[in-house]
Structures are given as structure tokens and as C-alpha cells.
Amino acid sequence: FQLYGYCYQDSNDIPDTLTTITELGSPLEMIQLLQTSWEDRFRICLSLVRLLHYLAHSPLGSVTLLDFRPRQFVIVDGELKVTDLDDASIEESSCTSNSDCFMEFPARNFTLPCSVEGRCQSMNEKRNLYNAYRFFFTYLLPHSAPSSLRPLLDKIVNATGNRDKHGNATYFLFYPSPSVTSEFTQKCVKSAKTKYRRVPEAFIPDENYRCWPSYHHKGCLLSVFDINEAIEICDSYSQCKAFVLTNQTTWTGRQLVFFKMASNHIVPDPDKITYVKVTD
């Protein structure tokens, strides 16, 4: 989380007071996130993995967030960031045997090894990973994910929630992220049988219909890899009679496309290309 400034104040009324000034973010609402596109939810999970990796290898050592819940995070420009560090700790639990390294969660318990130095090995990192698994990954990753990515996503979720796995398993599956993003970006599509007429520098301002998930609340605005995927999507909607390619892209480079239910009114627009379904 970006720190813009801070002020330390020591007064008789409130001793040892530290006020921080940080960037403004949007509260994290899980129900709203589940209504967004899978691409945006994957971006949030990817930013969470970056945070987990940093906490595990910070200059202070391994840091754990004792109060690891969605309310401790905000969304800033599509990225997940932690806002409350009051419950952060760098202390690894001391132990004399493995039984001292018992971690209890509502759905699963873990026993970690006790090191020769008398510390529970990777307990801080394991606590963060499992909390990320139960609060974020299990909800945001599998839900409406592309079918071609589901085997890999299952590996990510299982590695994060598996007691026998180390954090590196999760980091490796996410890094480098193109292992997921390239498959999503280069989604294979079937050859289209429907013919479309290409109208360059043209836009259909009206004739909207709603679809899910959409980047526009009043219309059907989706991301595609190429023209073939746009045709496949339009063919899959009975009300779709045309679509418009914009010059806007998502964070993975996929192009945003408006899907329309008619093409009665087409207006000039140098930044867009319209494709109209040809009827027999």
C-alpha cells in the first residue's frame, strides 16, 4: 500500500500517536467481485500472490497478518492491497517439538516441523497462504474460469490449501504469470460458419443488450483475443446481430468489444470497426 506521508505526535492526551496518509482504495466486497469478469478476479489474485511473496521475504523477515480477512484489503486500480498492518507480526512461534507447531483453522488443521533453532518452520508464511486460500482463491479463481485453464487453477488452489505444500508451489504456478495469462489470452476458438460484413470506422451507438460478465452495466462489453473469438461469442447469443471492435484493451491485452442486437443505426467513428451478421 502506497504511503504518502506520516505524522508522529506525542501529547499528554494521546501518547505515541502515529498518523499515516495512504492512497485511497475501494473497499473489498466479495459479492461484487464475483460479479466481475474472471480476468479481473485473476488480476486481484495475482496481486495477492505478489503480496504473499513479499511478506514471506520482507527485509524484516517473514511477516504474518494475524487478522487476514477481506475487510483488511482494498482495491486500487484493479490491484489488491492491504490497508491494516496493526496485526502484522514477524515473530515465528517458538517450539520444542512438532506438536508445538499446531495450526488450527475452521476447516483444516496443520502441524509444521520444529526447527533445530526451536522455531516453527514457515509458520508465518503458511498462515498467510492458507488464509489467502480460504478467503480469496477458493472463491475468485474457479468461479466462471475458462475451461482450458481449470486444470491449472485446480493445481494453484490445491497447492495453496495443501498441508504438504510450501509457499513456493503457489508462487511457481503464478510466476511467471504468462503460464495463465497467455492461455487465457490465446483462447482457442472454433472456425465460425456465420458470415459477417466488415464496416470500418463505424459504430452502433444503441441496440444494446445485457450480458454477463460485462465491462459495461448497460450493455454487453466483453474482452476477446481476436476477431474469431468475437464471432464465436456473437454466434452464441441469439440476440446478437453485430459487434463493434474498440481500440481499448484489458490489462492482459485482450480487446474490448461491444455486442449489439441490431445494426439499424450506424454512425462514423474512426476508432472502431463494426461487424454485421449477414443473413440469408
Side-chain angles (χ1 to χ4, degrees), residues 131-202:
N131 280 327
Y133 159 80
R134 70 191 186 106
F135 285 120
F136 292 95
F137 295 149
T138 54
Y139 299 106
L140 300 183
L141 281 179
H143 179 60
S144 70
S147 58
S148 61
L149 294 178
R150 284 172 187 167
L152 180 57
L153 296 175
D154 288 341
K155 290 182 181 180
I156 292 176
V157 174
N158 291 335
T160 313
N162 193 324
R163 74 181 71 195
D164 299 323
K165 297 293 184 180
H166 191 262
N168 286 336
T170 299
Y171 306 145
F172 174 77
L173 288 168
F174 267 97
Y175 291 118
S177 60
S179 63
V180 173
T181 55
S182 64
E183 284 192 52
F184 178 60
T185 302
Q186 299 175 12
K187 178 184 176 183
C188 295
V189 296
K190 299 177 181 178
S191 58
K193 296 181 180 179
T194 309
K195 293 183 179 180
Y196 287 81
R197 177 170 57 90
R198 184 177 184 270
V199 185
E201 299 186 354

Side-chain angles (χ1 to χ4, degrees), residues 217-246:
H217 68 283
K218 291 185 178 180
C220 187
L221 179 63
L222 303 174
S223 68
V224 303
F225 172 63
D226 58 11
I227 182 64
N228 290 326
E229 186 175 358
I231 291 174
E232 182 190 41
I233 293 174
C234 190
D235 285 347
S236 67
Y237 286 97
S238 59
Q239 64 266 54
C240 183
K241 305 302 180 184
F243 59 87
V244 181
L245 270 63
T246 72

Side-chain angles (χ1 to χ4, degrees), residues 94-95 114-121:
S94 59
C95 59
C114 180
S115 69
V116 294
E117 294 83 10
R119 296 289 179 182
C120 296
Q121 292 183 14

Side-chain angles (χ1 to χ4, degrees), residues 22-198:
T22 59
E23 60 186 323
L24 183 63
S26 302
L28 193 151
E29 299 290 345
M30 192 61 66
I31 295 180
Q32 292 181 1
L33 287 182
L34 291 174
Q35 296 174 347
T36 62
S37 68
W38 183 86
E39 189 177 3
D40 288 342
R41 282 184 273 118
F42 173 72
R43 184 182 185 185
I44 291 173
C45 291
L46 184 60
S47 62
L48 178 56
V49 167
R50 294 192 185 104
L51 172 63
L52 294 173
H53 188 269
Y54 176 81
L55 292 176
H57 305 88
S58 79
L60 298 176
S62 182
V63 179
T64 187
L65 301 179
L66 299 176
D67 191 11
F68 197 114
R69 284 179 287 182
R71 68 182 184 185
Q72 306 292 350
F73 299 85
V74 295
I75 303 295
V76 180
D77 295 329
E79 302 278 343
L80 187 72
K81 297 192 178 185
V82 64
T83 61
D84 191 350
L85 295 175
D86 291 346
D87 296 309
S89 174
I90 60 173
E91 295 295 328
E92 293 277 16
S93 299
S94 59
C95 59
T96 57
S97 65
N98 291 350
S99 60
D100 296 327
C101 301
F102 181 74
M103 300 175 62
E104 186 175 5
F105 294 95
R108 184 175 295 180
N109 300 327
F110 301 93
T111 300
L112 301 179
C114 180
S115 69
V116 294
E117 294 83 10
R119 296 289 179 182
C120 296
Q121 292 183 14
S122 304
M123 178 169 278
N124 287 346
E125 182 180 14
K126 185 64 178 179
R127 182 182 288 109
N128 289 340
L129 278 170
Y130 190 75
N131 280 327
Y133 159 80
R134 70 191 186 106
F135 285 120
F136 292 95
F137 295 149
T138 54
Y139 299 106
L140 300 183
L141 281 179
H143 179 60
S144 70
S147 58
S148 61
L149 294 178
R150 284 172 187 167
L152 180 57
L153 296 175
D154 288 341
K155 290 182 181 180
I156 292 176
V157 174
N158 291 335
T160 313
N162 193 324
R163 74 181 71 195
D164 299 323
K165 297 293 184 180
H166 191 262
N168 286 336
T170 299
Y171 306 145
F172 174 77
L173 288 168
F174 267 97
Y175 291 118
S177 60
S179 63
V180 173
T181 55
S182 64
E183 284 192 52
F184 178 60
T185 302
Q186 299 175 12
K187 178 184 176 183
C188 295
V189 296
K190 299 177 181 178
S191 58
K193 296 181 180 179
T194 309
K195 293 183 179 180
Y196 287 81
R197 177 170 57 90
R198 184 177 184 270

